Every structure is written in C-alpha cells, then in structure tokens.
Amino acid sequence: MPICQLAALLFNWHIGQLMYYLIGTLAYWHIDTLLIGTLLLFICLSFPLSSFAQSGEIEKTVAVADSLQTKKRPNGFIRAFNYLFNPNDIDTTYIGPNRYNYALMLDHFTNYEYYAIGSNTPESQRLRFSPNPRNKIGPYFGWRWIFLGWSVDIDDIYRKTNRKNKGTEFDLSLYSSKLGVDIFYRRTGNNYKIHKIRGFYDEIPSDYSEDFSGLKVDIKGLNLYYIFNNRKFSYPAAFSQSTNQRRNAGTFIAGFSISKHNLDFDYQQLPAYIQERMNPGMKVNKIKYTNANISFGYAYNWVFARNCLACLSLTPAIAYKASDVDAETQEGKAWYSKFNLDFLLRAGVVYNNGKYFVGTSFVGKNYNYHRNNFSLDNGFGTLQVYVGFNFHLRKEYRKKETKREY
C-alpha cells in the first residue's frame, strides 16, 4: 500500500476515534462544551467522508504525478457550508430572495414560563409555579441569517424593581433555507407564584395564587433542525424576515436537540398547610437532568395575501433524559434515565414587501420528566411583535435597481 494512502487511512481512523471519545465524554460530563462540540460535529459531518475521498485522490495523484493535472477540491467544511448556507439554492417561483445585506428592527417580546411538580402516591397531587409574564423591548441588527440586539425590561423603565429577582436570558437563532440553529440559556429569578394546586385541600379556590421564592432554574441547550423541502419552503420568511414566501408550501422537519436542566426546589418555603399534606415523593431538593432528543415534524407556510404570510410548525420529539435526583425519600440521591415526549411549536404572521416588514411570532418549548413517584413538566414561550426595514442592497441587485431608475 502506498505510504500516502496509508497515512490518509490512519488519519481517518484517528479522527473517528477522537470524535467517538469526545462525544462519549461530553455527553455525560460537560454540557457547555457539548453545545459547541455538537454544532461543530454537525457542520463537519462531511469531513471524514471527504478524507476518504481524498485518500483515493492521493493514490491517483501518485500514479499520475508527472501530469500535474489533478483537480483540487475544496475541503469538507467549505463544501458543507456552501451546501447549508447557499442563499441562491431556492425555487424563485416560491421564494423571493433577500436583496439586502442588513436589517434594523424594533422588537417587543413577552416571555412566559411554568413549572409543574407532581406525585401520584399515596394520592394524586400537583403544584404549578409561574412568574408574571416579562415584557422587554429593544433594537436589533440583522445580517442575513442572524439577528443580534439588546433589550430592556419594561418594568425597569416604569417602576423600580428588585434586580435580585431578575433572571438572565440569552437566545441566538440562525435560519437558512436548509438549516436552523437555536442556542439558548435561561437562568430564572425567584419571583414565582404558586398556581393551580390540586390534591391538597378541596377548599382551596381555583384562582389561588401566592408568592414563592423557593424555586430557581438554570437551563442551557442547543437545537439543530433540517428543512427537507428547502427549495420551496422558507423558515426565514416567517421568523427572520430575510426572504419572501410567494406561494403556499409545506415541509417535513427533522432535528436534534440537547439541553441541561438544573432545578433547586426548597419545598420548606411552601405554606405550612401544603407541607403537611405533601406527598413524600414531591419532597425533592435538587434535580439535574440532561435532555437529548430526536424530533420529526411538519411546517406549513400559507400566503394568504400579497406579501402576507402565516406559518405554523409543530415538532414532536422523542427525548432521552438522564437525571441526578436528590430527594428526601428512602432512595436518596440516585440516577435515572427514561424516554419521554417533548414538543416544539412555532407560529408566525408577517407582512414583508422586501424593504419593510412588520409581524408577530411565537415559539414554545415543552419538556416532560417522569420517574417512579415524581413528575416535572416545564414550558417556555416567547411572543414577539416587531417592525423594521432592510437596507444596503446587495451588489448583484444594484445594477438592476439602476436600470429601473432609467
């Protein structure tokens, strides 16, 4: 075997072993690095294949080295990037391309969230916690697929609030015709309220509400999804205002998500009459679980008028959860793993004439975790209302605009 070919094969073997070891280690220990590692792995999926292809080219090159006519191919990363983020790979009868490089947008969004803790033995009980909806407003700057900006809490503008109760949120979304990426981090404050108590006292009214500061949550994660009918269906048209959907179109969506959830629950801060009747299975101090899921769903873009679009997307996910639970029961601190069903919902309505746009959108995530005599359901939702405009015409469209003026 030629030395060059042997070296290429050894290189591929080491890359495969390294990826296998890296993923196995990160999946159990370092979720922060895993978010980055998963994204890099997704982008570089074609790298080993390109290396094998190049090993064949090396053998061919050795055989005809004197001809010096071997055609050089771009590496795997460049090919993958061009495939995933090529804005021209669309059917222009269905999708109008983005003619501008940049966008400015004023965005108002409202965040909703809830946590529900339950137990079935010796009797069915459920406690639901949720803070008041948070309203923020701020400017955002967009470049093709990415919007970045800064927002302030409206409560801080109109009245003084206790910043110790404030949480921290970070969301980065990237939409291309083929690929979608969501990176999110959320650390909640301690301004929750108890809602919808079930299984404790019959005399508690249905609209019962009481402040509770014994719940703190930390969540971080990554979503990746692929759009199959990407030449006719445009996610960016509904959620990043960078293209225009001209005709109705639908598509199947497949994706992968991984997230880590940390929940501190100080049940001793609950009212005394709830603690007295509380099931032992609900007396959980700390929950840490990693959620990895594979999703498959459907999305549809409906063009109900000129430049007007409505989008609805529902993606169920089969999720595997590995958890570390610290409970005041006989089982104490233990590890659990189980499959559950999660959901991701996206909906949006937008008017976009190519230059100016206005619209609203909603993105909701739901996570479910169940073990022996304990259940945890939590959900997040973000409602956006925005208005903005695109600017700085792309080079390939400037000549066309000049001709129209004449």
Side-chain angles (χ1 to χ4, degrees):
M1 180 181 295
I3 295 178
C4 293
Q5 184 178 5
L6 179 61
L9 292 174
L10 288 174
F11 176 76
N12 283 314
W13 182 83
H14 283 297
I15 287 293
Q17 293 294 318
L18 178 60
M19 287 293 184
Y20 176 82
Y21 175 78
L22 180 62
I23 295 171
T25 303
L26 293 174
Y28 287 97
W29 298 103
H30 300 295
I31 189 69
D32 297 309
T33 311
L34 179 56
L35 299 181
I36 301 174
T38 306
L39 180 58
L40 292 176
L41 176 61
F42 185 84
I43 295 176
C44 299
L45 281 175
S46 61
F47 182 79
L49 297 176
S50 65
S51 298
F52 278 111
Q54 288 171 3
S55 66
E57 292 180 2
I58 291 173
E59 183 177 5
K60 181 179 178 181
T61 304
V62 172
V64 294
D66 55 343
S67 66
L68 298 178
Q69 296 180 355
T70 305
K71 185 177 180 180
K72 187 177 180 180
R73 296 178 61 191
N75 60 43
F77 175 80
I78 298 298
R79 294 203 306 273
F81 186 87
N82 289 338
Y83 173 75
L84 294 173
F85 298 102
N86 181 8
N88 298 319
D89 189 17
I90 57 176
D91 185 342
T92 54
T93 60
Y94 282 81
I95 302 173
N98 184 14
R99 299 163 53 235
Y100 297 88
N101 286 309
Y102 309 113
L104 281 177
M105 176 176 68
L106 182 64
D107 193 358
H108 172 277
F109 56 94
T110 305
N111 291 325
Y112 304 90
E113 61 180 288
Y114 75 88
Y115 289 86
I117 297 175
S119 174
N120 293 323
T121 305
E123 57 182 316
S124 178
Q125 293 181 341
R126 186 178 177 88
L127 287 171
R128 178 163 173 158
F129 308 90
S130 60
N132 292 326
R134 296 177 59 189
N135 295 281
K136 292 186 175 183
I137 190 170
Y140 282 76
F141 173 78
W143 175 76
R144 299 195 180 184
W145 313 289
I146 302 176
F147 271 92
L148 297 175
W150 184 265
S151 60
V152 295
D153 198 313
I154 295 179
D155 291 338
D156 293 338
I157 299 176
Y158 290 102
R159 61 181 181 271
K160 294 182 178 180
T161 56
N162 186 2
R163 290 190 172 275
K164 293 182 179 180
N165 294 334
K166 296 294 182 180
T168 302
E169 299 171 10
F170 172 80
D171 290 280
L172 174 62
S173 296
L174 184 151
Y175 298 99
S176 74
S177 60
K178 300 181 177 67
L179 178 71
V181 181
D182 297 321
I183 300 175
F184 56 91
Y185 172 77
R186 185 185 298 267
R187 186 177 72 242
T188 62
N190 56 2
N191 56 342
Y192 285 88
K193 293 181 180 294
I194 304 173
H195 293 297
K196 297 183 180 179
I197 295 179
R198 189 184 70 190
F200 289 87
Y201 292 94
D202 294 336
E203 58 269 19
I204 296 179
S206 58
D207 58 349
Y208 171 85
S209 178
E210 186 169 340
D211 292 338
F212 180 69
S213 59
L215 183 63
K216 295 182 180 180
V217 182
D218 185 290
I219 298 176
K220 45 200 165 188
L222 168 73
N223 294 329
L224 293 171
Y225 45 92
Y226 181 81
I227 295 96
F228 287 91
N229 189 20
N230 49 71
R231 300 195 75 251
K232 295 181 178 180
F233 175 91
S234 175
Y235 243 157
F239 298 103
S240 66
Q241 304 82 45
S242 58
T243 59
N244 291 79
Q245 187 77 44
R246 294 172 173 171
R247 296 185 179 181
N248 300 342
T251 183
F252 288 103
I253 301 173
F256 169 78
S257 175
I258 188 162
S259 59
K260 186 171 183 179
H261 305 245
N262 295 330
L263 183 143
D264 292 329
F265 178 49
D266 187 0
Y267 69 89
Q268 294 181 354
Q269 294 193 36
L270 290 168
Y273 57 87
I274 293 181
Q275 293 188 48
E276 293 173 0
R277 297 283 300 271
M278 194 173 184
N279 288 344
M282 295 177 65
K283 295 181 178 181
V284 174
N285 296 319
K286 186 182 291 290
I287 301 172
K288 296 181 179 180
Y289 73 89
T290 300
N291 182 94
N293 67 50
I294 297 176
S295 59
F296 188 81
Y298 190 80
Y300 190 79
N301 276 350
W302 175 39
V303 182
F304 59 91
R306 181 178 175 83
N307 298 324
C308 295
L309 171 67
C311 176
L312 180 63
S313 170
L314 179 61
T315 312
I318 299 176
Y320 176 80
K321 296 175 173 65
S323 62
D324 182 9
V325 180
D326 189 2
E328 289 196 0
T329 60
Q330 295 180 354
E331 55 194 80
K333 187 173 182 178
W335 278 90
Y336 297 88
S337 59
K338 193 174 182 180
F339 287 94
N340 293 112
L341 190 64
D342 296 335
F343 292 94
L344 175 62
L345 172 69
R346 298 176 189 270
V349 179
V350 60
Y351 169 81
N352 186 355
N353 64 6
K355 178 69 174 180
Y356 303 98
F357 56 85
V358 59
T360 182
S361 65
F362 177 81
V363 179
K365 304 180 183 72
N366 172 260
Y367 300 97
N368 299 283
Y369 171 74
H370 302 270
R371 68 169 177 87
N372 300 339
N373 192 29
F374 175 81
S375 65
L376 170 65
D377 300 326
N378 62 289
F380 302 94
T382 301
L383 176 65
Q384 292 180 271
V385 179
Y386 53 85
V387 59
F389 63 94
N390 298 301
F391 65 98
H392 194 269
L393 204 64
R394 292 187 182 182
K395 186 180 297 186
E396 58 268 31
Y397 296 103
R398 293 175 190 172
K399 294 181 180 180
K400 296 180 181 180
E401 290 291 326
T402 303
K403 291 180 180 180
R404 289 177 183 177
E405 293 178 0
Y406 288 103

